[in-house]
Amino acid sequence: MEPSDLTTRRNGRQRRVPGASTLSEHIGSMDRGETSSPEPETEEEADSLIRSSDRENRRRHRVRPGIRGELGNIALLLFLYVLQGIPLGLAGSIPLILQSKSVSYKDQAFFSFVFWPFSLKLFWAPLVDALYFSRFGRRKSWLVPTQYLLGLFMLYLSATVTSLLQSEEGPKVGTLTAVFFMLAFLAATQDIAVDGWALTMLSRENVGYASTCNSVGQTAGYFLGNVLFLALESAEFCNKYLRIVPKDTGIVTLPDFLFFWGVIFLVSTTLVAILKRENDHSRGRRNVPEETQGVTETYRLLFSIVKMPTVFTFCSLLLTAKIGFSAADAVTGLKLVEAGVPKEQLALLAVPMVPLQILLPVIISRYTAGPRPLDVFYKAFPFRLLIGLEYALLVWWTPHVKQEGGFPLYYYAIILLSYALHQVALYSMYVACMAFHAKVSDPLIGGTYMTLLNTVTNLGGNWPSTVALWMVDPLTSKECQGAVGQSCSSSLEAELCVKEGGVCVTTMDGYYVESVVCVVIGLLWWLWLGKRMRRLQEQSSSAWRCRVNQ
């Protein structure tokens, strides 16, 4: 979750929590009612007023239900966020499956567009806010159809994914990308709807639990769709740890997994559509409409923010800051799979990182809470660059460590330690950025402002990763050995080399070239533009205020 105010969300919409601004009016009207009431003329009237006052006090106490009174709503939110994480986890597992089928890195780059919708959802979030059927419910108008479509897409994939992955011409990456892009787009739209519903589903006292449901639910869903699926889909893992009698397949297959969750999506969405009322008047909850900016106004506001000189400079720096890390972040895992490391083992290494990922923001926030949070970003930058070179060394070392039965335990320990160091550097930069976003965002439009900066930050990581994957093959050099006059500069020439009895041998892996180039670019960015980013902290608060509000 982003460190934004509880009444704003990361998809760029500003809301007032229902009932928040009417509390003083409510108390004032009660006070006025008490002063204008006539004096009781008899003891019976006085007793009646006392009993009425007691009933009113008990009723007012019941209006504040606490978390126990809203466990059902919290459980529903948690479940909806878990559902959201499932397609994201599945999308994250597909590149590892494709890599085990020896697809090109250009295909991997093409599939990486699947991960863009969550970084771009700000651009259609105002539409989700503004267009709805009031009778059906503002959030259910989007939640129900998007989850139905998610379920239908999963059922479609369960019937076709095997042919898409195992066709004679190789995996059909284009079709896979289109289908999983739609899954990610629908999941991002569902996230916008659930984020908005959380603010009205929970009472003002408990709205803070919405962020907990988001982080826990989405993480759990991603774990189910990625780590758990890859482990149970692996015949090697299941035979080694879960079975007595070995089999050729895992406990679950990708079509079975997709079919199961497709049915869960359809059934649960139907139950929510029928049984859950969006405007709940129970337990004394008042139906106060949300305040939301119009679509045109929101887009105009975004444009006004970007035009500000300080914001434009900062966004330009955010879009280029992660170029130096792109090879390490996007390609290293695929190269380890290519070198023979089981994909399920790589996925399982993420499990011990969960406690570290929980503790790191708490620890790092102590150093980013001051007036210069980007100093932490600047100091962590070169260490993350060095970890990128260490990743390249780890990939080079991997084939030399491989044994007949797999990889030794100390190899996985080194990978785990490298990943942990990477997480420390990554979270240091991430928390510093989020702290700076919170510091400079105009409080009058904090939700839209912070969401714009977070969107640019995410895009600054997406496009370099796509380019890094795309450039691996062009930077790789191969030669045909064993066949005179043949080469391996293209896939067609590589096939001719094999037909002539030769074999294509890699003389220069583009990943190593890319790793060095990225680190050099990152170092130049740090020495030149990094100092410029630090100087942005010296700008006055007025330089970050939106001109619309001045």
Side-chain angles (χ1 to χ4, degrees), residues 309-384:
T310 50
V311 175
F312 184 82
T313 300
F314 186 50
C315 288
S316 301
L317 294 172
L318 290 175
L319 286 172
T320 55
K322 297 180 183 178
I323 295 176
F325 317 125
S326 56
D329 292 351
V331 189
T332 300
L334 301 178
K335 278 294 178 182
L336 291 176
V337 173
E338 182 182 329
V341 180
K343 58 183 182 299
E344 64 277 4
Q345 294 291 352
L346 280 181
L348 287 171
L349 288 177
V351 177
M353 292 293 104
V354 173
L356 181 65
Q357 292 168 345
I358 294 173
L359 291 174
L360 279 175
V362 178
I363 298 172
I364 296 168
S365 61
R366 298 178 181 178
Y367 302 94
T368 59
R372 300 181 63 86
L374 290 182
D375 287 354
V376 176
F377 180 97
Y378 185 80
K379 292 175 182 177
F381 198 97
F383 290 100
R384 191 171 170 186

Side-chain angles (χ1 to χ4, degrees), residues 105-403:
Y105 282 92
K106 285 187 176 180
D107 288 336
Q108 293 281 13
F110 190 68
F111 188 83
S112 70
F113 284 106
V114 166
F115 306 107
W116 285 52
F118 261 80
S119 299
L120 300 172
K121 65 179 181 177
L122 171 65
F123 297 109
W124 68 89
L127 297 175
V128 177
D129 259 352
L131 306 176
Y132 58 92
F133 297 103
S134 56
R135 285 190 175 183
F136 189 55
R138 182 174 197 163
R139 306 306 170 189
K140 286 170 64 176
S141 296
W142 288 92
L143 176 73
V144 171
T146 53
Q147 289 198 169
Y148 270 134
L149 287 173
L150 279 165
L152 292 174
F153 267 104
M154 286 187 172
L155 292 180
Y156 165 76
L157 270 174
S158 69
T160 59
V161 70
T162 301
S163 61
L164 293 176
L165 287 171
Q166 299 178 0
S167 64
E168 294 182 359
E169 300 83 10
K172 297 180 180 179
V173 178
T175 306
L176 285 169
T177 302
V179 176
F180 276 95
F181 184 90
M182 281 304 303
L183 285 177
F185 173 80
L186 291 170
T189 306
Q190 188 252 26
D191 180 58
I192 298 170
V194 177
D195 282 354
W197 197 3
L199 297 180
T200 55
M201 185 186 297
L202 300 180
S203 65
R204 183 169 61 89
E205 294 81 9
N206 295 322
V207 74
Y209 289 102
S211 62
T212 304
C213 292
N214 185 314
S215 58
V216 174
Q218 195 176 104
T219 301
Y222 191 93
F223 179 86
L224 292 173
N226 187 279
V227 178
L228 184 64
F229 163 70
L230 288 174
L232 297 181
E233 187 262 350
S234 169
E236 180 183 352
F237 180 86
C238 293
N239 292 337
K240 186 175 182 180
Y241 298 106
L242 303 177
R243 285 180 176 146
I244 299 176
V245 179
K247 294 184 179 180
D248 295 333
T249 59
I251 293 177
V252 300
T253 63
L254 183 55
D256 293 339
F257 195 83
L258 286 164
F259 182 83
F260 172 80
W261 283 106
V263 172
I264 293 295
F265 265 90
L266 295 179
V267 173
S268 61
T269 303
T270 302
L271 293 175
V272 170
I274 297 174
L275 301 179
K276 180 61 179 175
R277 293 180 58 189
E278 184 166 333
N279 297 319
D280 189 1
H281 300 276
S282 63
R283 302 190 67 88
R285 191 184 301 260
R286 297 181 61 185
N287 182 28
V288 179
E290 299 176 80
E291 290 185 358
T292 308
Q293 295 172 344
V295 177
T296 305
E297 182 184 354
T298 301
Y299 288 124
R300 188 184 297 115
L301 181 59
L302 290 171
F303 185 67
S304 300
I305 296 172
V306 173
K307 285 196 305 181
M308 295 164 57
T310 50
V311 175
F312 184 82
T313 300
F314 186 50
C315 288
S316 301
L317 294 172
L318 290 175
L319 286 172
T320 55
K322 297 180 183 178
I323 295 176
F325 317 125
S326 56
D329 292 351
V331 189
T332 300
L334 301 178
K335 278 294 178 182
L336 291 176
V337 173
E338 182 182 329
V341 180
K343 58 183 182 299
E344 64 277 4
Q345 294 291 352
L346 280 181
L348 287 171
L349 288 177
V351 177
M353 292 293 104
V354 173
L356 181 65
Q357 292 168 345
I358 294 173
L359 291 174
L360 279 175
V362 178
I363 298 172
I364 296 168
S365 61
R366 298 178 181 178
Y367 302 94
T368 59
R372 300 181 63 86
L374 290 182
D375 287 354
V376 176
F377 180 97
Y378 185 80
K379 292 175 182 177
F381 198 97
F383 290 100
R384 191 171 170 186
L385 289 175
L386 290 176
I387 292 171
L389 290 178
E390 190 266 340
Y391 272 9
L393 184 62
L394 185 63
V395 171
W396 172 83
W397 182 55
T398 297
H400 301 83
V401 185
K402 189 175 182 180
Q403 300 174 353

